[in-house]
Amino acid sequence: MANEEDDPVVQEIDVYLAKSLAEKLYLFQYPVRPASMTYDDIPHLSAKIKPKQQKVEIEMAIDTLNPNYCRSKGEQIALNVDGACADETSTYSTKLMDKQTFCSSQTTSNTSRYAAALYRQGELHLTPLHGILQLRPSFSYLDKADAKHREREAANEAGDSSQDEAEEDVKQITVRFSRPESEQARQRRVQSYEFLQKKHAEEPWVHLHYHGLRDSRSEHERQYLLCQGSSGVENTELIKSPSEYLMMLMPPSQEEEKDKPVAPSNVLSMAQLRTLPLADQIKILMKNVKVMPFANLMSLLGPSVDSVAVLRGIQKVAMLVQGNWVVKSDILYPKDSSSPHSGVPAEVLCRGRDFVMWKFTKSRWVVRKEVATVTKLCAEDVKDFLEHMALVRINKGWEFILPYDGEFIKKHPDVVQRQHLLWMGIQAKLEKVYNLVKETLPKKPDGQSGPAGLVSGDQRIEAAKTKAQQNHTFLERELQRRKEQLQASTVLPSVHIKEEPLSEEGEEEDEQEAEEEEEPMDTAPSGSLNRLTNGLPAGQAGGGDSFNGHPPPGCASTPVARELRAFVEATFQSQFVLTLSELKRLFNQHVASLPRGHVLFSGISDHMLQDTVLAAGCKQILVPFPRQTAASPNEQKVFALWESGDMSDQHRQVLFEIFSKNYRVRRNMIQSRLTQECGEDLSKQEVDKVLKDCCVSYGGMWYLKGTVRS
């Protein structure tokens, strides 16, 4: 007790296990360098990896302008390696040793005891390491120089021997035939060092693209070091019943297990199933049952399992069809597998089965001949698809095996809406692959067809009338409220105020016209069910902060404009140069991290975002992209921070003027132009800083960030 009082607990820290990068995270140990220079400051020219061997090669530039660099020695090394004539195969194209290669070696084969830790907001997030690699300088260029030297000596000897006119003696050649290789000899040959080296050399290199520490892609990947389910909802599979805990602590003896009958290897008991993680339990159940209502799944998993965690897990392995869950096609037909009937690859089978599932989202009945005609698959494969989820009815076709689950549809509208969006994406792919006539999925939020034959025509008419009356009353009230607010405020003459339609048809026409004028950015979460009225949530349709989803012109003091301006200024203070496409991606990430109901969820258009960028002290750089560029229009719109208030503003402005006339530029041209404009006292560190802030290097050339793809 005395020791505990002397050493009290100061703070308790929650520890989370992040698994997003568990199979991809490597630790690179570089050679020791001066503390003033990090490896992120050195331009990475190229990188490549052999995943099976966990072998990496990284090519870094050498600062040839450094006073400690011996130029004569660098020229001598380049001459020994490449010779006097430089061509495309030359190692050093500048006739100077200006780069160095680092090759990796494994420090340990067992990395299970090592992890990368990230401490943030009182939480410690751990990610297991997949490999630890030590990078050492590679001197392969010396081997190339020796090979060049041997070639020159061989050429000289061949020239001397050609002058000798003496004929060589005729020698007898004996032909021998090798014996058939035995199994033991083959095993010895396979296990030999020479064979293993040859096999390692045959593994192809996978080229990588390096992203700096401040690059937006690096910041995006760094978020995966945080546990995505830190709220604890996904950890509910650790909750066991008392009997299950007792079974885990005191397993049955071996004698008792011998007395039990031996089950087939492919059969898993419920007791064994519940010892697995929740995600594996759901996957195994759905793979065996194929189609299941959500209520049945909850009863199989047990009463102690949280339904929210099950909902998250089921969406990873199944799709919603008529309120029931059907296992995904790629679970039944994994990659690199094929059909046992026709030998068709798994990709084609998954596409055909998705077509059958999609047909059942639109109707209770599917005709087998229609599926075979569209998918061009054999009858046995089509029959397997249908038997997974339907029953055959004589003279009618195949009917979905389970009744429509309307209770689940009403209870979980957010899940249903998310599944509806997924089916829309699958429908677009199927229409493109099978050349189908474009069809429209049901517009109702659940995205599933209701039970056929259960609702009469009179009931549907009455329901439609009731819905129309409710919409009419709601729209009239919102319209009157908006008119009163507009009368109380001063409205500029150039502002066009669009009134709300009084019917659903008018609402659809107005939404279609708004989409034709400009495409708004999708900043709402996929699971949100807030119905938009002219681009505004229904609860805010009468607010005076915006008109038709956009702030009124000249009204920069609205909450939406202030929040958007703050986001743009903070983003460009750290990024300096962004394309419109990258800015939209960062904005979507920012909105996704905001709480529900935030003002930025009101819908921000591309035009509004660009106007805010220009108003925040940024300018658009008209980069002359090549004619046959693969960049999209949003990727060709480049915006840069013109004035940030620091000493590098003038340097960046000169750099932007250079790139307004050239798509790619060499470093010596940039340095000479900066020296010409800013004076002779410009240091190398200042040039490196402006290049690091605004540009990326690729293939020996410099590009503005976001304008080049690897």
Side-chain angles (χ1 to χ4, degrees):
M1 293 296 293
N3 294 335
E4 293 181 358
E5 292 178 357
D6 295 339
D7 190 13
V9 176
V10 178
Q11 183 181 4
E12 293 184 359
I13 301 175
D14 294 332
V15 181
Y16 297 94
L17 181 63
K19 299 181 180 180
S20 300
L21 299 178
E23 300 297 328
K24 305 175 183 178
L25 190 61
Y26 289 85
L27 174 63
F28 290 176
Q29 296 178 342
Y30 287 87
V32 178
R33 294 187 71 89
S36 60
M37 178 180 294
T38 64
Y39 279 92
D40 190 62
D41 298 327
I42 305 174
H44 288 58
L45 302 179
S46 65
K48 54 185 180 180
I49 184 174
K50 288 187 176 182
K52 293 182 180 179
Q53 303 177 40
Q54 293 191 1
K55 183 177 180 181
V56 176
E57 279 193 8
I58 298 178
E59 216 174 60
M60 295 185 181
I62 298 177
D63 184 12
T64 58
L65 300 179
N66 194 293
N68 297 323
Y69 179 80
C70 182
R71 190 175 184 87
S72 60
K73 189 66 175 178
E75 292 176 351
Q76 183 63 40
I77 293 176
L79 181 62
N80 294 339
V81 174
D82 298 326
C85 300
D87 53 12
E88 295 180 354
T89 61
S90 299
T91 304
Y92 304 111
S93 58
T94 60
K95 296 184 179 181
L96 189 69
M97 184 180 178
D98 57 354
K99 57 186 176 182
Q100 187 177 15
T101 302
F102 290 86
C103 188
S104 70
S105 62
Q106 293 189 30
T107 58
T108 176
S109 58
N110 183 16
T111 59
S112 59
R113 299 187 298 114
Y114 301 94
L118 182 64
Y119 182 77
R120 180 170 294 184
Q121 297 179 358
E123 298 176 350
L124 185 64
H125 299 260
L126 300 179
T127 302
L129 290 176
H130 188 62
I132 302 177
L133 305 178
Q134 282 187 348
L135 294 174
R136 297 184 176 92
S138 174
F139 301 98
S140 57
Y141 59 88
L142 297 179
D143 298 335
K144 190 174 181 181
D146 292 341
K148 288 273 187 181
H149 180 67
R150 286 194 296 268
E151 289 178 2
R152 287 193 293 268
E153 289 183 349
N156 294 333
E157 291 178 1
D160 296 339
S161 62
S162 63
Q163 297 176 2
D164 189 2
E165 298 180 357
E167 295 184 359
E168 296 182 357
D169 296 337
V170 178
K171 296 181 180 180
Q172 183 179 1
I173 299 176
T174 304
V175 179
R176 296 181 180 179
F177 297 94
S178 61
R179 297 179 181 179
E181 187 179 27
S182 64
E183 182 63 24
Q184 294 180 352
R186 191 190 68 82
Q187 291 181 0
R188 287 196 299 269
R189 181 176 59 84
V190 170
Q191 296 176 359
S192 65
Y193 176 79
E194 182 181 359
F195 181 83
L196 294 176
Q197 287 295 104
K198 183 180 178 181
K199 188 175 180 181
H200 288 170
E202 291 176 351
E203 182 182 358
W205 286 102
V206 178
H207 290 273
L208 307 175
H209 182 63
Y210 175 80
H211 296 275
L213 183 63
R214 297 184 181 180
D215 192 88
S216 59
R217 178 64 183 273
S218 301
E219 294 182 359
H220 173 72
E221 294 294 335
R222 200 175 296 119
Q223 297 300 319
Y224 289 112
L225 294 175
L226 300 175
C227 181
Q228 304 299 319
S230 59
S231 60
V233 177
E234 295 185 354
N235 297 328
T236 53
E237 61 262 32
L238 300 178
I239 301 176
K240 303 290 183 182
S241 62
S243 59
E244 291 171 342
Y245 272 122
L246 183 61
M247 183 67 67
M248 293 172 63
L249 294 174
M250 300 178 61
S253 61
Q254 296 182 357
E255 296 180 357
E256 294 178 359
E257 292 181 351
K258 291 180 180 178
D259 296 338
K260 296 181 180 179
V262 179
S265 58
N266 61 339
V267 175
L268 192 66
S269 65
M270 291 301 297
Q272 293 174 323
L273 181 69
R274 292 184 179 179
T275 60
L276 300 175
L278 179 61
D280 294 340
Q281 294 184 43
I282 297 173
K283 183 177 180 180
I284 292 173
L285 287 174
M286 292 305 304
K287 188 175 181 179
N288 286 274
V289 182
K290 310 276 190 315
V291 185
M292 190 185 305
F294 186 73
N296 291 13
L297 178 63
M298 290 298 299
S299 63
L300 290 174
L301 295 175
S304 61
V305 179
D306 184 19
S307 61
V308 177
V310 177
L311 275 176
R312 292 182 179 178
I314 190 66
Q315 295 181 68
K316 298 178 181 178
V317 298
M319 296 290 293
L320 192 64
V321 179
Q322 299 189 23
N324 302 280
W325 292 99
V326 182
V327 65
K328 289 184 177 180
S329 302
D330 55 359
I331 302 296
L332 297 179
Y333 303 107
K335 191 177 180 181
D336 298 332
S337 64
S338 59
S339 169
H341 305 295
S342 59
V344 174
E347 182 181 0
V348 180
L349 293 176
C350 292
R351 193 161 53 226
R353 188 173 180 274
D354 288 345
F355 176 75
V356 175
M357 295 168 61
W358 172 69
K359 293 292 290 183
F360 276 120
T361 63
K362 302 175 68 61
S363 174
R364 289 282 303 174
W365 300 87
V366 169
V367 180
R368 178 177 171 180
K369 290 184 178 180
E370 179 187 356
V371 176
T373 303
V374 173
T375 60
K376 302 295 190 298
L377 294 173
C378 68
E380 290 79 6
D381 289 334
V382 175
K383 185 178 179 182
D384 285 348
F385 299 158
L386 294 171
E387 287 179 345
H388 290 168
M389 62 192 84
L391 296 174
V392 63
R393 306 297 184 189
I394 300 176
N395 298 329
K396 289 186 178 181
W398 291 77
E399 184 184 11
F400 193 68
I401 193 170
L402 294 177
Y404 182 83
D405 192 351
E407 183 178 354
F408 179 85
I409 297 295
K410 296 178 181 178
K411 190 175 180 180
H412 304 283
D414 52 341
V415 177
V416 175
Q417 176 68 11
R418 192 177 300 114
Q419 290 291 312
H420 172 67
L421 296 176
L422 292 176
W423 277 119
M424 289 179 65
I426 294 175
Q427 176 187 351
K429 293 181 181 178
L430 295 175
E431 289 174 351
K432 183 178 181 180
V433 173
Y434 294 132
N435 296 324
L436 303 177
V437 179
K438 190 174 180 68
E439 300 182 29
T440 305
L441 285 173
K443 190 180 177 182
K444 61 182 182 176
D446 57 31
Q448 309 290 334
S449 57
L454 299 181
V455 181
S456 64
D458 294 338
Q459 291 175 340
R460 292 186 179 183
I461 293 174
E462 290 298 327
K465 288 181 178 179
T466 304
K467 185 177 180 181
Q469 290 176 359
Q470 293 175 353
N471 290 339
H472 180 76
T473 304
F474 171 76
L475 292 174
E476 273 193 340
R477 184 170 62 254
E478 294 297 329
L479 180 61
Q480 185 63 28
R481 192 168 105 188
R482 177 173 292 187
K483 286 182 177 180
E484 292 176 356
Q485 291 182 353
L486 291 178
Q487 290 175 359
S489 62
T490 303
V491 182
L492 296 177
S494 60
V495 177
H496 173 65
I497 302 172
K498 186 161 80 174
E499 296 183 352
E500 298 289 346
L502 299 182
S503 65
E504 290 186 347
E505 296 179 359
E507 182 180 357
E508 294 176 358
E509 293 176 0
D510 287 347
E511 290 178 353
Q512 184 175 2
E513 291 176 2
E515 291 176 357
E516 292 176 355
E517 291 177 2
E518 63 181 33
E519 181 183 0
M521 293 172 56
D522 181 14
T523 58
S526 58
S528 175
L529 285 178
N530 293 336
R531 185 175 180 84
L532 299 182
T533 306
N534 276 352
L536 291 175
Q540 303 175 4
D545 290 341
S546 60
F547 299 92
N548 297 333
H550 307 284
C555 188
S557 61
T558 61
V560 177
R562 288 196 300 269
E563 290 288 337
L564 186 59
R565 178 70 175 266
F567 162 76
V568 169
E569 291 178 348
T571 302
F572 274 93
Q573 284 291 339
S574 60
Q575 300 289 342
F576 294 105
V577 178
L578 284 172
T579 62
L580 180 59
S581 177
E582 181 67 12
L583 181 60
K584 290 170 63 176
R585 187 185 68 80
L586 295 175
F587 181 73
N588 286 334
Q589 290 183 358
H590 174 67
V591 172
S593 64
L594 297 176
R596 187 179 297 275
H598 196 273
V599 292
L600 287 182
F601 279 85
S602 59
I604 305 299
S605 67
D606 289 0
H607 293 300
M608 182 178 178
L609 187 61
Q610 295 180 61
D611 292 342
T612 306
V613 170
L614 297 176
C618 302
K619 289 188 178 182
Q620 183 175 357
I621 309 302
L622 301 178
V623 179
F625 282 83
R627 292 184 178 179
Q628 298 182 353
T629 181
S632 63
N634 284 344
E635 291 176 339
Q636 296 186 29
K637 292 183 178 180
V638 184
F639 296 93
L641 182 61
W642 195 255
E643 293 182 356
S644 62
D646 58 7
M647 300 297 294
S648 301
D649 283 347
Q650 184 183 2
H651 305 160
R652 284 196 298 269
Q653 292 171 10
V654 174
L655 184 69
F656 297 152
E657 291 178 0
I658 296 174
F659 279 101
S660 64
K661 300 177 182 179
N662 302 277
Y663 172 63
R664 56 182 183 178
V665 188
R666 292 190 179 274
R667 179 190 172 95
N668 55 3
M669 178 182 175
I670 296 174
Q671 189 160 0
S672 62
R673 181 68 182 275
L674 286 172
T675 305
Q676 179 183 356
E677 296 290 338
C678 304
E680 296 291 340
D681 56 344
L682 187 67
S683 64
K684 177 183 177 296
Q685 287 76 12
E686 292 174 332
V687 177
D688 291 342
K689 181 181 184 303
V690 72
L691 287 176
K692 185 177 180 181
D693 289 342
C694 306
C695 303
V696 293
S697 176
Y698 183 74
M701 304 294 289
W702 288 88
Y703 304 79
L704 278 183
K705 286 185 177 180
T707 61
V708 62
R709 297 181 178 181
S710 60

